[in-house]
Amino acid sequence: MKEKITEYIESKYQEFLLPKRDINTNLPFFILRKEGLEPILADLKANPEFGFTFLNDLTSVDWLGKREPRFEVLYLLRSPKNNHFRLQFRVPVGEGEEVPSITNLFAGANWPEREIFDLMGIRFSNHPKMERLIMPDNFVGHPLRKDYPLEGPGQDYLIEDLLTLHVNDDITS
């Protein structure tokens, strides 16, 4: 399966592939331009031979000072049809750049994309609700970035303000 999927992607989507680097992994992986993310994932999901219909994981990495561009968004797909064969895609993202949302392909990408935005500051274009998921609305910064201060930004978050904010949201909704 590994050879077949590699040949398929490399022959059909060569313009979207970036050069591979040496990574210690047993998963087949591809490094993509962000423009190729949606067409490739849509094709692999709809393709009856491959059937990558399950988004297993969606996360990000901050390569501060080690690699350019600074961030990478990682997608792990599974094919239930093919004995849960796994395939990883990596999309390099620079500071302030956006990645296309895949919520139109995988509804389960909604919260992971919001989590990545909240904790790393990577935005997803065309996301239905791009707002914080974990941190309070008035939180400053993105705490999983490697340059985020260990002590935090030094701001006080009053629990009363948060409770009032959310109680008011519930009342007006």
Side-chain angles (χ1 to χ4, degrees), residues 10-67:
E10 287 178 351
S11 66
K12 191 169 181 183
Y13 295 106
Q14 186 63 42
E15 73 273 15
F16 296 128
L17 297 178
L18 294 170
K20 285 191 177 181
R21 53 182 193 275
D22 193 24
I23 297 174
N24 188 16
T25 180
N26 60 348
L27 288 175
F29 73 93
F30 298 91
I31 302 174
L32 304 178
R33 297 180 196 284
K34 58 186 174 182
E35 300 81 20
L37 182 65
E38 286 181 285
I40 292 173
L41 296 188
D43 183 12
L44 293 177
K45 182 178 181 182
N47 188 312
E49 183 180 2
F50 299 124
F52 284 95
T53 57
F54 184 66
L55 177 66
N56 193 99
D57 197 13
L58 171 52
T59 190
S60 62
V61 178
D62 183 353
W63 293 109
L64 181 66
K66 294 184 178 178
R67 193 172 291 145

Side-chain angles (χ1 to χ4, degrees), residues 38 58 75 98-104 106-118 122-133:
E38 286 181 285
L58 171 52
Y75 301 82
E98 292 187 349
V99 179
S101 174
I102 61 165
T103 54
N104 60 328
F106 298 98
N110 189 332
W111 281 27
E113 287 181 355
R114 286 179 62 192
E115 180 182 22
I116 291 169
F117 163 67
D118 192 3
I122 301 169
R123 291 189 154 278
F124 292 84
S125 59
N126 299 321
H127 189 280
K129 192 174 183 178
M130 184 73 351
E131 60 185 39
R132 288 199 181 270
L133 179 66

Side-chain angles (χ1 to χ4, degrees), residues 1 17 21 39 52 67 78 107 113 141 157 159 164-165 168:
M1 180 69 174
L17 297 178
R21 53 182 193 275
F52 284 95
R67 193 172 291 145
R78 279 185 187 257
E113 287 181 355
Y157 297 101
I159 192 70
T164 304
L165 201 139
N168 289 341

Side-chain angles (χ1 to χ4, degrees), residues 114 117-118 131-141 155 157 161-162 165-166 169:
R114 286 179 62 192
F117 163 67
D118 192 3
E131 60 185 39
R132 288 199 181 270
L133 179 66
I134 299 168
M135 304 308 292
D137 295 336
N138 61 348
F139 192 83
V140 176
Q155 295 182 334
Y157 297 101
D161 290 345
L162 293 175
L165 201 139
H166 289 290
D169 282 349

